[in-house]
Amino acid sequence: MAIQSFIPPQRTLMGPGPSDVSQRVLSALARPTIGHLDPEFITMMDEVKQLLQYAFKTKNENTMAISAPGSAGMEACFVNLITPDDTVVVCRNGVFGARMIENVQRIGAKLVIVDSPWGRAVEPQRLEDTLKAHPQANFVAFVHAETSTGACSDAKSLCEIAKRYQCLTIVDAVTSLGGIELRVDDWGIDAIYSGSQKCLSCVPGISPVSFSEQASEVIQRRSTPVQSWFLDQSLVMGYWSGKGKRAYHHTAPVNSLYALHESLLMLQQEGIENAWHRHQSQHQVLAQGLTELGLNFIVPEAERLPQLNAVYIPQGIDDASVRQMLLQEYNLEIGAGLGEFAGKAWRIGLMGFTARRENVALCLTAMAEALKKHR
Ligand SMILES: *Cc1c(COP(=O)(O)O)cnc(C)c1O
């Protein structure tokens, strides 16, 4: 049979990302493609940068959107800043902290790991004890919102400790940006990366990043070239901030950047603090409903992410069958467990445009039905 156009089903995306993309953002994506060095496009890139500075709450000049998913943003932060001479303290409380460790290992830098239990926030005291024991450490890296477990770490305190020990900070904000409080400048974050498809509710494939003045100096002072040509910030910066004289580095994903522009504009129009509150209030309704269904949260209340609700799968219930039923009968996607929680948990996302009352109601109705059928 001849292959035909692909028409995806209309789903409600309540997993760990991507989240639902609004019609407004999809419409932006469908506007005419223009050249990536067209003056009109360059003006739009400048606006994307301004909107990202708003979302990150930073004045960092070195703020941009990498043309690749969140994982590339992670890699960009590590390969640009770290050399084999450095000592990096990585806090691990889930899958994404473990990926940071792999990045450090591949660079060949000295690595010190601070482990906290999965499903809990990173413990500030453990970081402090580790920094005391390793005075040569010059970087601290951690995940603000651990999507694999639903735990929120206290980014402000962790950065404050890192600064007291003269360390630069690298923060994963893939799931936190737009969903919970995040203040890059006030908290002293030196390198941060996020993703387009979580609480920004844009299409996947773009990674917003920002580097502080001090981090940018470290990159400029490098004596060895960055091991990745594509992610080398000293080259990409000439493309994103060439002040009218932009140097061709690669071809930006033109239409995807229209979409990011629109989703960031929506965030600015809503007001980022309002977006944080919306995530929290929808989470509270969802959490109460899930608890009434007899589901138990993995993360203690004080450390929970509103945008990622991880609950234990009740004894004797078939994980895959429940998720299949939700997808087939309700067009509802929820996430499976990851890493230590594979087969043991569901991860219910309330990210960005998905975090609305009607989706919470749909999810609770569908879960109630699915649990009843499977008990
Ligand atoms: C999703 C996610 C990533 C990876 O982002 P991709 O866009 O899938 O590459 C990294 N860190 C965290 C915390 C995430 O949730």
Side-chain angles (χ1 to χ4, degrees):
M1 209 176 66
I3 295 177
Q4 298 187 342
S5 301
F6 176 66
I7 312 290
Q10 190 78 50
R11 308 281 202 211
T12 300
L13 300 179
M14 299 185 77
S19 58
D20 282 340
V21 181
S22 66
Q23 190 52 53
R24 196 174 144 183
V25 170
L26 290 175
S27 299
L29 196 69
R31 289 177 193 142
T33 303
I34 59 175
H36 72 118
L37 296 173
D38 186 312
E40 298 285 338
F41 188 69
I42 287 173
T43 303
M44 197 220 56
M45 281 170 87
D46 283 335
E47 289 180 359
V48 167
K49 179 173 160 179
Q50 280 176 41
L51 290 164
L52 282 175
Q53 287 171 326
Y54 169 79
F56 276 130
K57 292 198 176 282
T58 184
K59 295 197 168 64
N60 289 341
E61 254 320 293
N62 197 351
T63 299
M64 68 188 68
I66 290 181
S67 306
S71 306
M74 179 188 286
E75 187 145 347
C77 288
F78 282 88
V79 297
N80 279 280
L81 286 169
I82 314 257
T83 64
D85 295 334
D86 293 313
T87 300
V88 187
V89 175
V90 179
C91 305
R92 172 172 61 187
N93 61 339
V95 165
F96 294 102
R99 287 195 182 171
M100 287 178 150
I101 289 170
E102 284 188 53
N103 272 275
V104 175
Q105 286 168 333
R106 285 179 184 226
I107 292 165
K110 282 157 230 89
L111 170 69
V112 182
I113 300 172
V114 178
D115 267 312
S116 296
W118 282 50
R120 298 300 305 268
V122 171
E123 284 162 78
Q125 191 58 51
R126 284 200 201 185
L127 173 62
E128 175 135 29
D129 294 345
T130 304
L131 289 171
K132 244 180 229 154
H134 297 272
Q136 77 283 18
N138 55 346
F139 286 95
V140 168
F142 64 88
V143 179
H144 186 199
E146 227 332 323
T147 322
S148 63
T149 67
C152 177
S153 289
D154 181 351
K156 186 181 177 191
S157 298
L158 295 174
C159 287
E160 191 261 317
I161 293 165
K163 295 280 130 173
R164 257 196 278 127
Y165 291 81
Q166 282 80 46
C167 290
L168 292 190
T169 51
I170 300 176
V171 178
D172 179 319
V174 176
T175 286
S176 60
L177 182 66
I180 50 171
E181 184 178 12
L182 172 63
R183 300 176 187 276
V184 169
D185 289 358
D186 289 355
W187 293 354
I189 296 172
D190 292 293
I192 191 161
Y193 57 92
S194 188
S196 49
Q197 79 278 27
K198 312 250 170 147
C199 294
L200 299 180
S201 282
C202 182
V203 291
I206 307 182
S207 177
V209 294
S210 186
F211 296 90
S212 71
E213 200 91 339
Q214 212 184 337
S216 300
E217 275 166 28
V218 168
I219 297 172
Q220 274 154 22
R221 279 205 313 263
R222 283 183 68 107
S223 55
T224 53
V226 173
Q227 68 189 51
S228 164
W229 178 86
F230 182 66
L231 296 173
D232 184 339
Q233 278 296 304
S234 61
L235 303 176
V236 181
M237 268 155 68
Y239 186 49
W240 268 86
S241 52
K243 302 267 180 250
K245 286 202 290 274
R246 296 197 186 221
Y248 166 65
H249 176 256
H250 65 281
T251 309
V254 171
N255 293 56
S256 292
L257 284 179
Y258 301 162
L260 182 66
H261 182 278
E262 197 69 24
S263 65
L264 289 168
L265 184 60
M266 285 173 72
L267 183 66
Q268 193 196 47
Q269 287 171 346
E270 178 179 14
I272 194 163
E273 286 82 2
N274 296 330
W276 299 340
H277 290 142
R278 175 168 51 80
H279 282 87
Q280 186 59 34
S281 61
Q282 295 308 321
H283 156 74
Q284 272 159 357
V285 181
L286 179 70
Q288 190 184 339
L290 293 173
T291 305
E292 281 165 11
L293 291 175
L295 295 169
N296 297 316
F297 273 78
I298 289 174
V299 180
E301 200 168 340
E303 298 170 9
R304 262 178 222 165
L305 287 170
Q307 66 271 51
L308 198 288
N309 298 264
V311 291
Y312 288 106
I313 299 170
Q315 280 288 318
I317 297 240
D318 185 338
D319 169 23
S321 172
V322 167
R323 283 185 292 109
Q324 191 187 2
M325 178 178 163
L326 296 176
L327 200 61
Q328 283 176 353
E329 294 183 23
Y330 290 88
N331 271 310
L332 174 66
E333 177 182 279
I334 66 165
L338 195 60
E340 277 187 22
F341 292 118
K344 298 187 186 130
W346 288 316
R347 291 179 301 149
I348 303 174
L350 265 185
M351 297 182 182
F353 187 65
T354 301
R356 284 174 296 135
R357 187 69 185 87
E358 60 262 44
N359 293 330
V360 172
L362 168 72
C363 179
L364 291 173
T365 305
M367 287 297 288
E369 176 101 358
L371 287 171
K372 199 164 78 187
K373 280 232 172 98
H374 283 83
R375 279 204 209 271

